[in-house]
Amino acid sequence: TYDAAVGDITILANRTTLVEFTQPYAASGLSMIVPVKPESSAWMFLKPFTTKMWLVTGSILIYTMFIVWFLEHQSNPDFKGPWNNQIGTVFWFTFSSIFFAHREKIYSNLTRVVVIVWLFVALILTSSYTASLTSMLTVQRLEPNVTDIESLKRSNVKIGCDGDSFVRTYLEDVLKFKSYNIENVSSEYNYEGEFKSNHIAAAFLELPYGKVFLNRYCKKFTTTAPTYIFGGLGFVFQKGSPIARDFSRAILKLSEDGTLMSLEQKWFAPSPECSANVTEESKTNSLSINSFLGLFLISGATSTVCLLLFLAYSLQRYWHHELENNAGNLSLVDEGVLIKAMRVAKYIYNGKVCVQGEVSAAPRVPDIYEWSSPTWDYDRSSSHISMENLEVKSQAETEIGIQLQVHN
Protein backbone atom coordinates (compact mmCIF):
# COMPACT_ATOMS: atom_id res chain seq x y z
CA THR A 1 0.00 0.00 0.00
CA TYR A 2 2.81 2.41 0.91
CA ASP A 3 6.09 3.02 -0.86
CA ALA A 4 7.93 4.32 2.22
CA ALA A 5 7.60 4.92 5.97
CA VAL A 6 9.53 7.72 7.59
CA GLY A 7 9.92 7.96 11.37
CA ASP A 8 11.57 6.39 14.40
CA ILE A 9 11.30 2.81 13.18
CA THR A 10 13.58 0.31 14.92
CA ILE A 11 15.57 -2.03 12.71
CA LEU A 12 14.97 -5.62 13.83
CA ALA A 13 16.07 -8.91 12.31
CA ASN A 14 12.56 -10.28 11.75
CA ARG A 15 11.46 -7.05 10.08
CA THR A 16 14.22 -7.18 7.47
CA THR A 17 12.52 -10.21 5.89
CA LEU A 18 9.46 -8.09 5.05
CA VAL A 19 10.77 -4.60 4.21
CA GLU A 20 13.94 -2.80 3.14
CA PHE A 21 15.63 -0.63 5.77
CA THR A 22 17.99 2.26 5.14
CA GLN A 23 21.20 2.77 7.03
CA PRO A 24 20.38 3.77 10.64
CA TYR A 25 20.39 7.47 11.30
CA ALA A 26 20.34 7.06 15.11
CA ALA A 27 21.24 4.41 17.66
CA SER A 28 18.48 2.42 19.30
CA GLY A 29 18.24 0.22 22.36
CA LEU A 30 16.18 -0.62 25.40
CA SER A 31 17.06 0.97 28.74
CA MET A 32 15.57 0.50 32.19
CA ILE A 33 14.50 3.68 34.03
CA VAL A 34 14.16 3.52 37.83
CA PRO A 35 13.66 6.10 40.60
CA VAL A 36 16.64 7.31 42.57
CA LYS A 37 17.29 8.67 46.03
CA PRO A 38 20.23 10.69 47.34
CA GLU A 39 23.00 8.43 48.56
CA SER A 40 23.71 8.84 52.27
CA SER A 41 25.52 6.70 54.79
CA ALA A 42 26.73 7.00 58.35
CA TRP A 43 29.99 5.36 57.23
CA MET A 44 30.66 7.70 54.35
CA PHE A 45 34.03 8.63 55.87
CA LEU A 46 35.28 5.08 55.14
CA LYS A 47 34.41 5.14 51.43
CA PRO A 48 37.41 7.16 50.15
CA PHE A 49 39.53 4.00 50.58
CA THR A 50 38.66 0.44 49.70
CA THR A 51 38.67 -2.26 52.37
CA LYS A 52 41.98 -3.67 51.17
CA MET A 53 43.44 -0.17 51.13
CA TRP A 54 42.45 0.39 54.78
CA LEU A 55 43.96 -2.96 55.81
CA VAL A 56 47.27 -2.32 54.04
CA THR A 57 47.47 1.23 55.44
CA GLY A 58 46.91 -0.10 58.96
CA SER A 59 49.56 -2.78 58.45
CA ILE A 60 52.13 -0.25 57.27
CA LEU A 61 51.33 2.00 60.23
CA ILE A 62 51.76 -0.84 62.75
CA TYR A 63 54.98 -1.98 61.10
CA THR A 64 56.39 1.54 61.17
CA MET A 65 55.33 1.86 64.79
CA PHE A 66 57.25 -1.31 65.68
CA ILE A 67 60.38 -0.15 63.83
CA VAL A 68 60.35 3.24 65.58
CA TRP A 69 60.01 1.61 68.99
CA PHE A 70 62.72 -0.97 68.27
CA LEU A 71 65.22 1.65 67.15
CA GLU A 72 64.49 4.12 69.95
CA HIS A 73 63.71 2.18 73.11
CA GLN A 74 67.39 1.67 74.05
CA SER A 75 68.52 5.29 74.11
CA ASN A 76 65.36 7.41 74.06
CA PRO A 77 63.84 8.00 77.52
CA ASP A 78 60.44 8.76 75.94
CA PHE A 79 60.21 5.14 74.79
CA LYS A 80 61.33 3.56 78.07
CA GLY A 81 59.45 2.53 81.17
CA PRO A 82 56.75 -0.10 81.72
CA TRP A 83 55.36 -1.94 78.74
CA ASN A 84 52.05 -0.11 78.82
CA ASN A 85 53.87 3.23 78.70
CA GLN A 86 56.07 2.10 75.82
CA ILE A 87 53.10 0.86 73.79
CA GLY A 88 51.10 4.01 74.52
CA THR A 89 54.01 6.26 73.58
CA VAL A 90 54.76 4.54 70.29
CA PHE A 91 51.05 4.46 69.38
CA TRP A 92 50.73 8.15 70.12
CA PHE A 93 53.88 9.00 68.21
CA THR A 94 52.85 7.10 65.07
CA PHE A 95 49.26 8.32 64.97
CA SER A 96 50.14 11.92 65.79
CA SER A 97 52.76 11.89 63.06
CA ILE A 98 49.95 11.44 60.54
CA PHE A 99 48.82 14.95 61.46
CA PHE A 100 52.41 16.17 62.02
CA ALA A 101 51.62 16.74 65.70
CA HIS A 102 54.25 14.49 67.32
CA ARG A 103 56.52 16.06 69.95
CA GLU A 104 58.74 13.17 71.04
CA LYS A 105 62.40 13.61 70.19
CA ILE A 106 64.25 11.19 67.94
CA TYR A 107 67.75 10.09 68.94
CA SER A 108 68.74 7.60 66.24
CA ASN A 109 69.61 8.61 62.68
CA LEU A 110 68.06 5.37 61.42
CA THR A 111 64.80 6.31 63.08
CA ARG A 112 64.94 9.72 61.44
CA VAL A 113 65.16 8.07 58.03
CA VAL A 114 62.16 5.85 58.83
CA VAL A 115 60.12 8.78 60.12
CA ILE A 116 60.93 10.99 57.12
CA VAL A 117 59.67 8.35 54.70
CA TRP A 118 56.61 7.69 56.87
CA LEU A 119 55.77 11.41 57.02
CA PHE A 120 55.90 11.54 53.23
CA VAL A 121 53.56 8.53 53.03
CA ALA A 122 51.22 10.13 55.58
CA LEU A 123 51.18 13.38 53.59
CA ILE A 124 50.17 11.60 50.37
CA LEU A 125 47.54 9.45 52.11
CA THR A 126 45.92 12.31 54.01
CA SER A 127 45.84 14.54 50.94
CA SER A 128 44.29 11.81 48.79
CA TYR A 129 41.77 10.91 51.50
CA THR A 130 40.73 14.53 51.97
CA ALA A 131 40.30 15.12 48.23
CA SER A 132 38.27 11.93 47.74
CA LEU A 133 36.03 12.52 50.75
CA THR A 134 35.43 16.14 49.73
CA SER A 135 34.40 15.02 46.25
CA MET A 136 31.99 12.43 47.67
CA LEU A 137 30.36 14.86 50.07
CA THR A 138 30.04 17.89 47.79
CA VAL A 139 28.98 16.25 44.51
CA GLN A 140 25.43 14.99 44.44
CA ARG A 141 25.30 11.22 44.27
CA LEU A 142 22.13 9.38 43.34
CA GLU A 143 21.47 5.79 44.32
CA PRO A 144 18.92 3.74 42.32
CA ASN A 145 16.17 1.86 44.11
CA VAL A 146 16.48 -1.08 41.68
CA THR A 147 19.85 -2.22 40.37
CA ASP A 148 19.14 -5.06 37.92
CA ILE A 149 16.42 -6.84 35.99
CA GLU A 150 16.65 -10.06 38.00
CA SER A 151 15.67 -8.22 41.19
CA LEU A 152 12.54 -6.97 39.40
CA LYS A 153 11.61 -10.53 38.45
CA ARG A 154 12.19 -11.86 41.97
CA SER A 155 10.18 -9.10 43.62
CA ASN A 156 7.28 -9.68 41.18
CA VAL A 157 6.57 -5.96 40.78
CA LYS A 158 4.97 -4.21 37.83
CA ILE A 159 6.90 -2.48 35.08
CA GLY A 160 5.80 -0.01 32.40
CA CYS A 161 6.45 0.20 28.66
CA ASP A 162 4.98 1.50 25.43
CA GLY A 163 2.33 -1.02 24.56
CA ASP A 164 2.04 0.11 20.93
CA SER A 165 5.66 -0.83 20.09
CA PHE A 166 7.57 -4.09 19.97
CA VAL A 167 8.92 -3.45 23.50
CA ARG A 168 6.18 -5.41 25.27
CA THR A 169 6.78 -8.46 23.12
CA TYR A 170 10.53 -8.15 23.69
CA LEU A 171 10.03 -8.02 27.46
CA GLU A 172 7.90 -11.16 27.39
CA ASP A 173 9.81 -13.27 24.89
CA VAL A 174 13.44 -12.25 25.46
CA LEU A 175 13.67 -10.86 29.02
CA LYS A 176 11.02 -13.34 30.32
CA PHE A 177 8.80 -10.93 32.23
CA LYS A 178 5.33 -12.17 33.07
CA SER A 179 2.66 -10.51 30.97
CA TYR A 180 0.45 -9.59 33.95
CA ASN A 181 3.37 -7.59 35.45
CA ILE A 182 3.74 -5.41 32.33
CA GLU A 183 1.66 -2.21 32.21
CA ASN A 184 1.08 -0.26 29.00
CA VAL A 185 1.88 3.44 29.29
CA SER A 186 0.44 5.49 26.45
CA SER A 187 2.86 8.46 26.61
CA GLU A 188 6.31 9.20 28.01
CA TYR A 189 4.75 12.10 29.90
CA ASN A 190 2.71 9.65 31.99
CA TYR A 191 5.64 7.71 33.43
CA GLU A 192 6.30 10.18 36.23
CA GLY A 193 2.74 9.86 37.51
CA GLU A 194 2.94 6.07 37.34
CA PHE A 195 6.10 6.14 39.45
CA LYS A 196 4.62 8.59 42.00
CA SER A 197 1.58 6.41 42.51
CA ASN A 198 3.84 3.35 42.96
CA HIS A 199 1.97 1.70 40.13
CA ILE A 200 5.22 0.67 38.46
CA ALA A 201 8.70 0.07 39.85
CA ALA A 202 10.60 0.48 36.57
CA ALA A 203 10.03 1.59 33.01
CA PHE A 204 11.56 0.25 29.80
CA LEU A 205 12.03 2.87 27.09
CA GLU A 206 13.81 2.90 23.79
CA LEU A 207 17.07 4.79 23.82
CA PRO A 208 15.97 8.13 22.27
CA TYR A 209 12.89 8.29 24.49
CA GLY A 210 14.94 7.35 27.51
CA LYS A 211 17.35 10.20 26.83
CA VAL A 212 14.52 12.70 26.57
CA PHE A 213 12.90 11.40 29.77
CA LEU A 214 16.13 11.46 31.79
CA ASN A 215 16.96 14.91 30.47
CA ARG A 216 13.66 16.15 31.89
CA TYR A 217 13.69 14.22 35.19
CA CYS A 218 17.39 13.66 35.83
CA LYS A 219 17.12 14.44 39.55
CA LYS A 220 14.44 11.82 40.13
CA PHE A 221 15.28 8.92 37.81
CA THR A 222 18.26 7.13 36.34
CA THR A 223 19.12 4.14 34.16
CA THR A 224 20.95 1.20 35.73
CA ALA A 225 20.67 -1.98 33.69
CA PRO A 226 22.84 -2.38 30.59
CA THR A 227 21.16 -1.14 27.43
CA TYR A 228 19.98 -3.83 25.05
CA ILE A 229 21.19 -2.71 21.62
CA PHE A 230 19.10 -3.01 18.46
CA GLY A 231 19.85 -2.25 14.83
CA GLY A 232 19.15 1.47 15.12
CA LEU A 233 16.43 3.76 13.76
CA GLY A 234 15.92 3.90 10.00
CA PHE A 235 13.44 4.52 7.20
CA VAL A 236 11.41 1.74 5.58
CA PHE A 237 10.81 1.01 1.89
CA GLN A 238 9.30 -1.83 -0.04
CA LYS A 239 11.43 -4.91 -0.45
CA GLY A 240 13.95 -4.36 -3.27
CA SER A 241 13.16 -0.66 -3.64
CA PRO A 242 16.10 1.26 -5.20
CA ILE A 243 15.10 4.38 -3.25
CA ALA A 244 16.36 2.74 -0.07
CA ARG A 245 19.92 2.77 -1.45
CA ASP A 246 19.69 6.50 -2.25
CA PHE A 247 18.44 7.27 1.25
CA SER A 248 21.18 5.11 2.78
CA ARG A 249 23.82 6.97 0.76
CA ALA A 250 22.44 10.32 1.93
CA ILE A 251 22.34 9.20 5.58
CA LEU A 252 25.98 8.03 5.35
CA LYS A 253 27.05 11.43 4.00
CA LEU A 254 25.26 13.20 6.86
CA SER A 255 26.93 10.87 9.31
CA GLU A 256 30.42 11.34 7.84
CA ASP A 257 30.31 15.15 7.76
CA GLY A 258 29.09 15.35 11.37
CA THR A 259 25.58 16.60 10.67
CA LEU A 260 23.89 13.74 12.51
CA MET A 261 26.19 14.24 15.51
CA SER A 262 25.38 17.95 15.69
CA LEU A 263 21.66 17.21 15.48
CA GLU A 264 21.91 14.66 18.28
CA GLN A 265 23.81 17.08 20.49
CA LYS A 266 21.27 19.80 19.78
CA TRP A 267 18.18 17.76 20.63
CA PHE A 268 19.43 15.18 23.12
CA ALA A 269 22.19 16.98 25.01
CA PRO A 270 21.59 17.01 28.78
CA SER A 271 20.43 20.24 30.39
CA PRO A 272 22.83 22.22 32.62
CA GLU A 273 21.12 20.87 35.73
CA CYS A 274 21.52 17.27 34.59
CA SER A 275 25.11 17.74 33.45
CA ALA A 276 26.01 18.89 36.98
CA ASN A 277 24.74 15.64 38.43
CA VAL A 278 26.93 12.61 38.93
CA THR A 279 26.59 9.89 36.34
CA GLU A 280 27.89 6.35 36.62
CA GLU A 281 31.02 7.28 34.69
CA SER A 282 31.80 10.42 36.69
CA LYS A 283 31.29 9.05 40.18
CA THR A 284 34.25 9.26 42.50
CA ASN A 285 35.40 5.73 43.13
CA SER A 286 37.16 4.59 46.27
CA LEU A 287 40.94 4.71 46.08
CA SER A 288 42.48 1.27 45.80
CA ILE A 289 45.87 -0.08 46.80
CA ASN A 290 47.05 -0.04 43.19
CA SER A 291 47.38 3.75 43.35
CA PHE A 292 49.73 3.61 46.36
CA LEU A 293 51.53 0.29 45.93
CA GLY A 294 54.87 1.92 45.08
CA LEU A 295 54.57 4.26 48.06
CA PHE A 296 53.93 1.38 50.46
CA LEU A 297 56.83 -0.62 49.03
CA ILE A 298 59.22 2.31 49.56
CA SER A 299 58.07 2.78 53.16
CA GLY A 300 58.27 -0.93 54.00
CA ALA A 301 61.65 -1.38 52.32
CA THR A 302 63.12 1.66 54.08
CA SER A 303 61.94 0.47 57.49
CA THR A 304 63.25 -3.04 56.87
CA VAL A 305 66.68 -1.84 55.73
CA CYS A 306 67.02 0.41 58.79
CA LEU A 307 66.04 -2.48 61.04
CA LEU A 308 68.64 -4.77 59.47
CA LEU A 309 71.35 -2.14 59.79
CA PHE A 310 70.50 -1.67 63.46
CA LEU A 311 70.60 -5.42 64.11
CA ALA A 312 73.91 -5.78 62.29
CA TYR A 313 75.46 -2.93 64.29
CA SER A 314 74.11 -4.33 67.57
CA LEU A 315 75.46 -7.82 66.86
CA GLN A 316 78.84 -6.39 65.94
CA ARG A 317 79.02 -4.51 69.24
CA TYR A 318 77.91 -7.60 71.14
CA TRP A 319 80.54 -9.93 69.70
CA HIS A 320 83.20 -7.27 70.13
CA HIS A 321 82.25 -6.91 73.78
CA GLU A 322 82.27 -10.66 74.28
CA LEU A 323 85.70 -11.05 72.76
CA GLU A 324 87.16 -8.30 74.96
CA ASN A 325 85.60 -9.10 78.30
CA ASN A 326 85.18 -12.87 78.12
CA ALA A 327 88.51 -13.96 76.63
CA GLY A 328 89.46 -17.28 78.15
CA ASN A 329 86.11 -17.66 79.92
CA LEU A 330 85.16 -21.27 79.29
CA SER A 331 81.66 -20.82 80.67
CA LEU A 332 80.56 -19.29 77.39
CA VAL A 333 81.57 -22.44 75.58
CA ASP A 334 79.43 -24.54 77.90
CA GLU A 335 76.32 -22.41 77.37
CA GLY A 336 73.59 -23.85 75.19
CA VAL A 337 72.34 -22.30 72.01
CA LEU A 338 69.15 -21.13 73.70
CA ILE A 339 71.09 -19.38 76.48
CA LYS A 340 73.33 -17.63 73.96
CA ALA A 341 70.34 -16.58 71.89
CA MET A 342 68.63 -15.16 74.96
CA ARG A 343 71.77 -13.26 75.92
CA VAL A 344 72.02 -11.76 72.44
CA ALA A 345 68.32 -10.86 72.40
CA LYS A 346 68.58 -9.23 75.80
CA TYR A 347 71.58 -7.25 74.67
CA ILE A 348 69.72 -6.04 71.60
CA TYR A 349 66.75 -5.09 73.79
CA ASN A 350 68.69 -3.40 76.62
CA GLY A 351 71.73 -2.22 74.67
CA LYS A 352 74.14 -3.76 77.20
CA VAL A 353 75.51 -7.19 78.03
CA CYS A 354 73.95 -9.06 80.92
CA VAL A 355 76.62 -9.72 83.60
CA GLN A 356 76.70 -13.37 84.64
CA GLY A 357 77.27 -14.63 88.14
CA GLU A 358 79.94 -17.00 89.34
CA VAL A 359 81.14 -19.60 86.88
CA SER A 360 79.74 -23.02 87.64
CA ALA A 361 79.99 -26.41 86.06
CA ALA A 362 76.44 -26.31 84.76
CA PRO A 363 75.20 -23.48 82.63
CA ARG A 364 73.21 -20.87 84.50
CA VAL A 365 69.48 -20.88 83.89
CA PRO A 366 68.42 -17.45 82.69
CA ASP A 367 66.32 -15.41 85.04
CA ILE A 368 63.04 -14.98 83.20
CA TYR A 369 61.97 -12.19 85.55
CA GLU A 370 64.70 -9.99 84.15
CA TRP A 371 62.77 -9.98 80.83
CA SER A 372 59.38 -9.06 82.22
CA SER A 373 59.57 -5.30 82.49
CA PRO A 374 61.93 -2.48 83.38
CA THR A 375 59.60 -1.84 86.33
CA TRP A 376 60.70 -5.15 87.92
CA ASP A 377 64.35 -4.22 87.39
CA TYR A 378 63.69 -0.91 89.05
CA ASP A 379 62.05 -2.57 92.06
CA ARG A 380 64.92 -5.02 92.44
CA SER A 381 67.56 -2.31 92.20
CA SER A 382 65.61 -0.19 94.67
CA SER A 383 65.50 -3.07 97.15
CA HIS A 384 69.24 -3.59 96.74
CA ILE A 385 69.94 0.08 97.37
CA SER A 386 67.66 0.06 100.41
CA MET A 387 69.55 -2.88 101.92
CA GLU A 388 72.87 -1.13 101.37
CA ASN A 389 71.52 2.05 102.99
CA LEU A 390 70.25 0.00 105.92
CA GLU A 391 73.67 -1.60 106.42
CA VAL A 392 75.44 1.76 106.26
CA LYS A 393 72.91 3.25 108.65
CA SER A 394 73.37 0.38 111.15
CA GLN A 395 77.15 0.73 110.99
CA ALA A 396 76.93 4.47 111.59
CA GLU A 397 74.63 4.00 114.59
CA THR A 398 77.07 1.44 116.09
CA GLU A 399 80.01 3.84 115.74
CA ILE A 400 78.05 6.65 117.39
CA GLY A 401 77.12 4.34 120.29
CA ILE A 402 80.79 3.37 120.85
CA GLN A 403 81.87 7.01 120.86
CA LEU A 404 79.22 7.88 123.43
CA GLN A 405 80.36 5.04 125.73
CA VAL A 406 84.03 6.18 125.50
CA HIS A 407 83.02 9.74 126.29
CA ASN A 408 81.10 8.68 129.36
Side-chain angles (χ1 to χ4, degrees):
T1 303
Y2 298 103
D3 293 318
V6 177
D8 49 345
I9 305 174
T10 305
I11 301 175
L12 298 176
N14 60 345
R15 292 178 176 179
T16 58
T17 62
L18 304 175
V19 295
E20 190 78 25
F21 282 99
T22 64
Q23 289 290 326
Y25 63 85
S28 67
L30 191 64
S31 58
M32 184 176 72
I33 309 297
V34 295
V36 295
K37 60 182 179 180
E39 183 182 4
S40 59
S41 174
W43 304 99
M44 180 66 74
F45 67 95
L46 295 177
K47 291 189 175 181
F49 290 161
T50 60
T51 303
K52 185 180 294 186
M53 179 67 181
W54 280 114
L55 294 176
V56 174
T57 302
S59 302
I60 290 294
L61 187 144
I62 294 175
Y63 183 65
T64 305
M65 176 184 66
F66 168 76
I67 297 298
V68 170
W69 168 81
F70 196 84
L71 298 178
E72 287 293 316
H73 78 279
Q74 287 188 4
S75 58
N76 195 333
D78 293 333
F79 293 87
K80 291 184 177 181
W83 276 108
N84 55 344
N85 290 343
Q86 295 186 42
I87 296 174
T89 300
V90 71
F91 259 107
W92 168 253
F93 175 83
T94 309
F95 277 99
S96 61
S97 64
I98 298 177
F99 309 100
F100 303 94
H102 55 285
R103 296 184 178 181
E104 291 79 5
K105 294 182 179 180
I106 298 299
Y107 285 66
S108 173
N109 289 328
L110 294 176
T111 311
R112 292 188 178 98
V113 174
V114 173
V115 172
I116 288 174
V117 176
W118 167 247
L119 291 178
F120 179 73
V121 174
L123 175 63
I124 300 299
L125 292 178
T126 53
S127 301
S128 303
Y129 175 85
T130 303
S132 180
L133 182 61
T134 302
S135 176
M136 291 181 177
L137 294 178
T138 55
V139 179
Q140 183 181 5
R141 299 171 61 87
L142 301 178
E143 185 180 30
N145 291 337
V146 181
T147 57
D148 55 60
I149 293 178
E150 295 300 325
S151 62
L152 287 175
K153 296 179 182 178
R154 291 192 300 267
S155 57
N156 202 31
V157 296
K158 292 186 177 298
I159 59 175
C161 69
D162 183 5
D164 295 333
S165 68
F166 71 97
V167 176
R168 183 183 181 94
T169 304
Y170 186 85
L171 293 176
E172 294 177 359
D173 297 341
V174 179
L175 299 183
K176 305 301 180 182
F177 278 99
K178 298 177 181 178
S179 58
Y180 57 82
N181 285 334
I182 303 175
E183 295 290 332
N184 294 334
V185 181
S186 58
S187 174
E188 63 268 19
Y189 300 103
N190 298 334
Y191 283 102
E192 183 186 14
E194 297 289 334
F195 277 115
K196 284 185 177 180
S197 61
N198 294 325
H199 194 200
I200 60 175
F204 286 86
L205 298 176
E206 286 193 77
L207 189 58
Y209 297 104
K211 288 182 178 180
V212 174
F213 183 82
L214 291 178
N215 192 20
R216 185 179 299 138
Y217 304 107
C218 59
K219 294 183 179 297
K220 299 179 181 180
F221 303 95
T222 187
T223 176
T224 57
T227 302
Y228 294 89
I229 304 299
F230 303 129
L233 301 181
F235 302 147
V236 178
F237 295 88
Q238 291 182 359
K239 196 70 174 176
S241 174
I243 306 177
R245 293 193 296 269
D246 297 334
F247 268 80
S248 296
R249 188 180 301 108
I251 291 173
L252 290 176
K253 289 181 179 179
L254 294 176
S255 177
E256 291 172 0
D257 62 15
T259 303
L260 293 182
M261 180 62 68
S262 62
L263 289 174
E264 184 175 355
Q265 292 177 352
K266 177 181 179 180
W267 295 107
F268 297 105
S271 62
E273 295 180 356
C274 295
S275 60
N277 289 338
V278 177
T279 61
E280 289 295 330
E281 292 78 11
S282 61
K283 283 186 178 181
T284 303
N285 297 321
S286 300
L287 299 174
S288 64
I289 188 177
N290 296 329
S291 303
F292 304 93
L293 184 59
L295 197 64
F296 289 149
L297 290 177
I298 293 174
S299 177
T302 303
S303 300
T304 303
V305 170
C306 291
L307 175 63
L308 295 177
L309 291 176
F310 177 80
L311 292 176
Y313 178 70
S314 299
L315 291 176
Q316 182 182 7
R317 289 173 50 194
Y318 173 79
W319 294 121
H320 182 72
H321 184 277
E322 289 293 314
L323 292 175
E324 288 185 352
N325 299 292
N326 297 305
N329 192 350
L330 298 179
S331 62
L332 294 178
V333 180
D334 298 334
E335 287 182 342
V337 178
L338 180 61
I339 303 299
K340 292 181 180 179
M342 294 179 66
R343 283 171 53 83
V344 173
K346 187 170 184 180
Y347 173 79
I348 295 175
Y349 175 77
N350 293 324
K352 57 183 179 180
V353 178
C354 178
V355 180
Q356 288 184 316
E358 297 294 331
V359 178
S360 58
R364 186 177 65 90
V365 178
D367 188 0
I368 60 173
Y369 295 103
E370 295 179 1
W371 288 72
S372 59
S373 172
T375 307
W376 177 254
D377 296 338
Y378 176 79
D379 294 340
R380 293 181 62 190
S381 60
S382 300
S383 302
H384 179 67
I385 294 173
S386 300
M387 292 298 297
E388 292 180 354
N389 293 338
L390 181 61
E391 293 176 359
V392 173
K393 183 176 179 181
S394 300
Q395 183 178 1
E397 291 176 354
T398 303
E399 292 177 357
I400 293 174
I402 294 174
Q403 291 178 2
L404 289 175
Q405 292 177 2
V406 172
H407 184 269
N408 292 332

